[in-house]
Amino acid sequence: MIITGYRPKYFILQELVPPRLFEQVRHQTLWGLLDARMLWTMDALRKIYGTLVCNTWNWGGHITLRGLRPFDTSTGAAHSDHKYGRAVDLVPVHTTAEAIRADILADERSGGKNPAYQWITVVETDIPWLHLGFRNRDRASAGIQWVAP
Ligand SMILES: [Zn+2]
């Protein structure tokens, strides 16, 4: 399967970008900045694990930077995948980030059979949320990059 474009069924744009970008940038442009494989994977994981919370500002919450981050943010690494639209932080409601990481790791160790995980190239460990990255990395030869904080 090859994906060049995808609009998620379970996530709206407000969950994926901060309010300033949502208000100031054409939505078509913002969708174009978000990695299609990431959006597809978010839906696939949502079908398996139930509700996954990303940005909450649209409903009065204070979370704004779990998806795309502006380049001038002080949050996270200087060249975080979030700034390039290819990383997302998800907080599961019905399970834990640790449990999902364990599933991803078990699948990788058994040869990567579950298509839901096939595009993930970076996973951060030891944090209470699920950070998934879709960095340019050869899964076949290098595997998933497991990053400790
Ligand atoms: Zn993150």
Side-chain angles (χ1 to χ4, degrees), residues 63-83:
I63 303 293
T64 62
L65 297 173
R66 284 183 183 158
L68 186 66
R69 292 179 188 161
F71 281 102
D72 61 2
T73 185
S74 59
T75 297
H79 287 287
S80 165
D81 285 328
H82 285 278
K83 293 180 179 175

Side-chain angles (χ1 to χ4, degrees), residues 36-53:
R37 295 163 305 173
M38 176 177 80
L39 299 173
W40 183 92
T41 300
M42 291 171 68
D43 267 1
L45 297 181
R46 168 66 177 72
K47 288 175 193 166
I48 297 172
Y49 297 106
T51 302
L52 302 167
V53 179

